[in-house]
Amino acid sequence: MKSKIFWSCLLSTLTLFNTSKILAQTLPLSPQLIPFSSNEGEQLLVESNAKQDYFLLSNQFVTQINQAYCGVASSVMVLNALGLPAPESTQYKPFRVFTQENFFERAETKKVISPELVSRRGMTLAQLGDLLSSHGAKVEVYYGSDVNLERFRSLLVQNLSKRDNFAIVNYLRKTIGQERGGHISPIAAYNQRTDRFLILDVSRYKYPPVWVKTVDLWQAIATVDTDAGKTRGFVLVTN
Ligand code: CA
């Protein structure tokens, strides 16, 4: 991700501007994805045997506040869903809640990477893990290169069946039929009949939540993030 995310986002934006009018809708979805808000998408959640995280995450679902903040938005959702001690929020004083504005307030967090740099270049999978750890979460980082399809499915399904932990994926959009660079978002549920995961995509101005085939998502996390010199992957987070 990082700079590639930024440029791909910029490219999509420019494409929108160039194709006549400015659109207030999300981009069209590839047939390989099932939109969550469709009848079929709804049915997949109803049938799901691994959807514990859906309810907690949907309570915290936010839109990333800039085009490189997918990792920050995903982290804020998970930290709030876990109920970890949050800093006071300037906006919502005296309430304490993780927001994308106060996420970098702690010195330990800024030490991992500065908000300015994340705003320009995004973050790598390792930085995502370290940023979450800096807020007191326990994090396991898995690189796509180290996890076969069966293990990928089983680790995520196991996690989605329990309420006290969460999964965030770092994947290449292009591999799942989207525009187009690296991206980060939480996973909320698994449908066993169709072998699909539900991504709660934090770039809500660009794409809605979608059900993606496990094999497609697995291939998308096994792509190389050239900024990191490693593959993308996922993190499992608990408190
Ligand atoms: Ca879970």
Side-chain angles (χ1 to χ4, degrees), residues 42-56 157 160-163 188-190 198 211:
E42 179 186 338
Q43 186 57 32
L44 296 192
L45 185 69
V46 171
E47 288 172 5
S48 165
N49 292 332
K51 58 183 167 201
Q52 289 298 313
D53 294 357
Y54 171 77
F55 301 98
L56 290 160
V157 170
L160 294 167
S161 309
K162 288 185 68 186
R163 291 171 73 90
Y190 173 74
L198 175 63
W211 288 97

Side-chain angles (χ1 to χ4, degrees), residues 49-217:
N49 292 332
K51 58 183 167 201
Q52 289 298 313
D53 294 357
Y54 171 77
F55 301 98
L56 290 160
L57 288 173
S58 61
N59 276 3
Q60 305 295 341
F61 198 7
V62 294
T63 304
Q64 63 189 83
I65 57 170
N66 68 48
Q67 295 209 28
Y69 252 35
C70 49
V72 177
S74 302
S75 298
V76 161
M77 285 173 65
V78 163
L79 293 171
N80 283 327
L82 284 169
L84 281 163
E88 194 175 78
S89 160
T90 317
Q91 291 158 290
Y92 308 123
K93 212 170 174 177
F95 293 99
R96 303 181 83 85
V97 62
F98 287 100
T99 66
Q100 295 170 72
E101 287 82 6
N102 72 15
F103 182 77
F104 285 99
E105 262 177 29
R106 290 191 171 127
E108 308 92 280
T109 309
K110 272 194 279 243
K111 229 183 274 173
V112 176
I113 181 171
S114 72
E116 293 77 22
L117 203 51
V118 173
S119 294
R120 287 204 306 275
R121 300 179 59 87
M123 64 180 73
T124 64
L125 181 68
Q127 287 163 342
L128 173 67
D130 290 344
L131 288 168
L132 285 159
S133 299
S134 77
H135 286 287
K138 292 189 188 108
V139 186
E140 289 170 19
V141 177
Y142 293 90
Y143 287 93
S145 54
D146 301 338
V147 181
N148 66 23
L149 177 62
E150 288 67 34
R151 186 156 154 77
F152 173 65
R153 182 189 293 108
S154 117
L155 282 167
L156 285 193
V157 170
Q158 219 178 342
N159 186 292
L160 294 167
S161 309
K162 288 185 68 186
R163 291 171 73 90
D164 57 357
N165 53 19
F166 295 92
I168 300 174
V169 283
N170 172 206
Y171 57 103
L172 185 65
R173 280 194 184 280
K174 193 180 168 192
T175 311
I176 66 164
Q178 293 186 326
E179 296 287 333
R180 114 175 235 198
H183 192 52
I184 294 174
S185 278
I187 296 290
Y190 173 74
N191 180 278
Q192 59 286 349
R193 177 174 58 83
T194 60
D195 194 21
R196 284 176 184 265
F197 286 101
L198 175 63
I199 303 175
L200 290 186
D201 193 326
V202 292
S203 68
R204 299 204 287 183
Y205 49 85
K206 185 174 173 188
Y207 284 115
V210 291
W211 288 97
V212 58
K213 277 283 200 193
T214 302
V215 66
D216 292 347
L217 187 57

Side-chain angles (χ1 to χ4, degrees), residues 3-18:
S3 54
K4 272 183 296 172
I5 266 201
F6 177 79
W7 288 115
S8 76
C9 290
L10 186 64
L11 190 64
S12 330
T13 309
L14 290 175
T15 308
L16 284 180
F17 274 86
N18 284 337

